[in-house]
Amino acid sequence: MGLIDSIKSKAKEQLRTIVLPESEDERVLKATQQVLKDKTANVILIGNEDKIKADAKACGANIDGASIINPKSFNNLDKYVDELVLLRKSKGLTKEEAREIMTTEPRFFGCMMVRLGDADGLVAGSNSPTADVLRAAIQVIKTAPGINTVSSTFIMETADGKFGDDGLILFADCAVNPEPNAEQLADIASATAATAKSVVGLEPRVAMLSFSTKGSAKHPLVDKVQFACDILEERNVDFSFDGEMQADAAIIEAVGASKAPGSKVAGKANVLVFPDLQSGNIGYKLVQRFAGAAAHGPIVQGLNKPVNDLSRGCSVEDISNLVAITATQVVK
């Protein structure tokens, strides 16, 4: 069973409720049909019910079984408005401004549904920039306790199964933080370990990557990764990690045994935390292209509840797959 099939199977067992706020996109409507057919989640669409149903009919999407909520006629709108005013109190947001946001910004409305427990997660981005999706998520849902950094991960699935756990290995952060500091790297490690557990079902072994292994080179960039490891040690995290470590020492047993003898992670890492976005983004694309690996993501992590961002060039399949992934991120 492939990774996506496994994730969908897990999503079916949990059957969470996922909000899709961009109902004006016919790909979202077609993905809704697929999700409902696969029974990987309950779906909430946001917008005018008559328009959504007409659009679905026009594009041949059967969305029977999806819930449709129009913010302008929503029974609990006042509650949502009051909550947003409270959240943005320090920014001086007025009740009138909050009502305008809640009735005209479906991503903010959807995130409030998730925050207040009326839905379990949200998937957006097919019709909006990443910045818009993350802004709503960060302002409304906030970061998880003990985590101050929103980040991302790709689940890399290699065909030969040589690396990670049967070919599954997570790369982070490849999409959000350009130059994370040591504390942010520690946050990224913790969030990615949580994703490895909740989404993929792996017991995480996290390698904090650098161009040095265990002091083989001296440089401020190496110091940053070493300090991130110190922070993880101080936090007494509940997953295995080690660093700083070169990529070959992280994933090849013979090299790991030579460069980092006695390490519980060296040579068998299934989570790779890159020192910056530049190296992470380059790294995942090289593995994707050179090794023909499937790159599932980016999966947004570090939020208090799951929100995931789509590429604006996404396919119907991309949306339905990300709904299943989002469903498995839900912790109850």
Side-chain angles (χ1 to χ4, degrees):
M1 183 185 290
L3 175 65
I4 291 298
D5 288 337
S6 176
I7 287 172
K8 284 187 174 182
S9 178
K10 185 177 179 182
K12 286 179 185 179
E13 293 174 8
Q14 298 174 335
L15 201 62
R16 307 304 191 191
T17 298
I18 306 300
V19 184
L20 300 177
E22 294 165 333
S23 59
E24 72 280 3
D25 189 329
E26 73 171 45
R27 292 169 298 174
V28 171
L29 299 177
K30 290 178 178 178
T32 297
Q33 173 179 306
Q34 189 62 50
V35 169
L36 295 174
K37 180 182 176 183
D38 292 342
K39 298 181 180 178
T40 50
N42 297 315
V43 176
I44 297 175
L45 298 170
I46 297 175
N48 179 277
E49 184 171 359
D50 292 338
K51 184 178 187 307
I52 291 173
K53 287 183 174 179
D55 289 348
K57 185 177 180 179
C59 71
N62 180 359
I63 60 170
D64 292 347
S67 298
I68 300 175
I69 294 179
N70 186 341
K72 293 179 180 178
S73 57
F74 183 56
N75 289 338
N76 286 329
L77 180 60
D78 287 342
K79 179 182 177 182
Y80 281 29
V81 168
D82 290 344
E83 184 73 7
L84 186 60
V85 169
L86 187 63
L87 287 170
R88 306 297 290 166
K89 186 177 179 180
S90 64
K91 302 297 181 181
L93 187 74
T94 67
K95 197 163 185 174
E96 291 72 24
E97 290 168 336
R99 185 174 295 275
E100 177 72 11
I101 291 170
M102 281 291 106
T103 54
T104 62
E105 296 282 350
R107 285 162 292 277
F108 272 84
F109 183 87
C111 283
M112 189 62 76
M113 292 195 79
V114 176
R115 176 180 177 83
L116 296 179
D118 293 327
D120 296 310
L122 178 143
V123 172
S126 65
N127 253 7
S128 52
T130 294
D132 289 355
V133 178
L134 292 184
R135 184 181 304 110
I138 292 168
Q139 290 185 13
V140 176
I141 293 175
K142 307 292 187 180
T143 54
I147 301 291
N148 295 312
T149 307
V150 175
S151 62
S152 71
T153 189
F154 279 87
I155 305 171
M156 306 301 295
E157 186 175 13
T158 59
D160 59 16
K162 286 172 61 177
F163 303 110
D165 284 19
D166 296 322
L168 295 175
I169 189 163
L170 282 73
F171 286 17
D173 174 8
C174 305
V176 177
N177 296 282
E179 293 185 85
N181 59 31
E183 187 161 343
Q184 289 172 321
L185 279 179
D187 284 347
I188 292 166
S190 293
T192 312
T195 299
K197 287 181 180 179
S198 66
V199 176
V200 194
L202 301 181
E203 192 57 43
R205 299 181 298 277
V206 180
M208 307 296 286
L209 298 184
S210 178
F211 60 84
S212 166
T213 300
K214 297 295 187 178
S216 64
K218 303 294 183 185
H219 191 277
L221 292 176
V222 176
D223 295 341
K224 180 179 77 168
V225 180
Q226 290 173 340
F227 187 30
C229 292
D230 292 341
I231 293 170
L232 289 171
E233 193 75 46
E234 290 169 6
R235 291 180 181 176
N236 195 29
V237 295
D238 62 351
F239 57 87
S240 298
F241 69 92
D242 204 358
E244 87 290 3
M245 194 176 295
Q246 290 163 288
D248 57 353
I251 62 174
I252 299 173
E253 285 200 42
V255 179
S258 171
K259 291 187 174 183
S263 172
K264 294 180 179 179
V265 170
K268 45 186 177 287
N270 55 16
V271 173
L272 303 182
V273 175
F274 290 80
D276 56 35
L277 181 62
Q278 190 161 235
S279 57
N281 192 273
I282 291 168
Y284 102 77
K285 288 181 184 294
L286 286 175
V287 172
Q288 183 184 29
R289 301 304 178 183
F290 282 2
H296 304 289
I299 299 168
V300 178
Q301 51 190 23
L303 292 166
N304 203 25
K305 294 185 177 183
V307 170
N308 277 311
D309 176 51
L310 293 157
S311 162
R312 278 176 282 178
C314 64
S315 66
V316 170
E317 184 181 24
D318 291 335
I319 300 170
S320 63
N321 286 348
L322 195 57
V323 167
I325 289 171
T326 306
T328 62
Q329 287 181 283
V330 177
V331 178
K332 286 192 175 182

